[in-house]
Amino acid sequence: MITLYGKAASRTARNLWALEELGVPYKHVPYDYLKGETKTPEFLAINPAGKVPALTDGNVVMTESLGMNLYIAHTYGQGKLWPDDQAGRAKCIQWTLWAATELEPSAAGRLIQLVLTPEANRDAKAVEGFAEKSKLALNTLNAALTRSPYLAGNAFSVADLNVSAVTEYLQRTKFDLTPWPHVQKWLAECLSRPANQKVNEMKKAA
Ligand SMILES: N[C@@H](CCC(=O)N[C@@H](CS)C(=O)NCC(=O)O)C(=O)O
């Protein structure tokens, strides 16, 4: 059985979302990285970087939230989060790496600056830079969503889950998405899925 480490109000949320989508049984250990719970010898044995999320599943030990979702989708979500067709599976890998490299640095940068940093300590120039980079990423995403309703074809997949979980940081930091209408519509659809709503409740309860 999968054990997932990390409190819901962290990048762990995206893995909880994937597990809830698939109805996979799992044990949740909600370690709080803000309270030093990820720096204990016990947790460092799982992730020497001392960060959440991490998962174990039998002899599998994994970190990196977006990669973990590829593992979850591939192992437990064939024909669901993991498409049956090769072209769709290729897109899941492509968009996951895109989320990590092209979108998350600026989207998470905004979240850290605008949500987690006290106003007096914020770096306005950095926030501006993150906005410019986010716009370029949104152009790419919007263009893709003019060609198909979901990123890997006609159905919601781990590609949409991973990319929308990161795009949500822009929404949370009140980035105006109206110039990218396809992204706006797709994001609202992805985030309103019952499995994500359930994770939102877990975040509030934590
Ligand atoms: N690239 C990693 C980033 C993990 C990460 O930075 N996690 C944060 C919580 S969202 C953390 O544990 N931070 C603690 C620290 O940096 O010491 C992933 O996607 O899993």
Side-chain angles (χ1 to χ4, degrees):
M1 184 166 79
I2 288 183
T3 301
L4 178 64
Y5 297 87
K7 67 172 183 172
S10 74
R11 285 177 174 87
T12 310
R14 53 190 69 164
N15 306 117
L16 288 165
W17 182 4
L19 292 166
E20 290 294 335
E21 282 284 344
L22 297 173
V24 175
Y26 65 96
K27 181 177 164 200
H28 184 206
V29 182
Y31 283 153
D32 188 341
Y33 67 101
L34 297 172
K35 292 186 183 153
E37 291 171 2
T38 58
K39 308 296 180 200
T40 63
E42 181 205 5
F43 185 73
L44 291 172
I46 295 166
N47 184 5
K51 297 182 186 198
V52 287
L55 72 72
T56 58
D57 187 18
N59 67 354
V60 173
V61 181
M62 251 194 116
T63 64
E64 290 307 319
S65 56
L66 297 168
M68 286 160 60
N69 272 352
L70 289 181
Y71 167 78
I72 291 167
H74 179 258
T75 310
Y76 298 101
Q78 300 278 343
K80 298 175 194 160
L81 289 181
W82 192 246
D84 278 330
D85 63 307
Q86 195 179 26
R89 294 193 292 268
K91 287 292 173 198
C92 290
I93 297 166
Q94 173 196 305
W95 281 110
T96 295
L97 287 173
W98 181 87
T101 57
E102 300 292 327
L103 182 62
E104 186 149 47
S106 54
R110 276 180 65 85
L111 191 74
I112 289 164
Q113 281 290 322
L114 299 174
V115 176
L116 303 175
T117 305
E119 202 167 344
N121 300 341
R122 286 180 196 157
D123 179 343
K125 209 160 172 219
V127 174
E128 211 176 290
F130 293 142
E132 288 314 306
K133 291 221 169 81
S134 299
K135 283 180 196 167
L136 297 177
L138 287 165
N139 289 343
T140 304
L141 187 55
N142 201 66
L145 291 167
T146 60
R147 284 183 228 118
S148 61
Y150 294 100
L151 293 172
N154 290 323
F156 180 84
S157 74
V158 68
D160 303 286
L161 196 161
N162 277 346
V163 176
S164 66
V166 179
T167 311
E168 188 265 340
Y169 292 174
L170 296 178
Q171 190 181 71
R172 223 190 304 171
T173 55
K174 302 196 168 34
F175 195 90
D176 178 15
L177 293 174
T178 48
W180 299 278
H182 291 277
V183 173
Q184 227 178 0
K185 180 173 173 288
W186 161 88
L187 184 64
E189 231 174 85
C190 293
L191 299 182
S192 67
R193 292 177 70 85
N196 187 49
Q197 295 298 320
K198 185 170 175 190
V199 177
N200 286 340
E201 292 308 312
M202 293 167 82
K203 285 185 202 166
K204 283 186 217 155

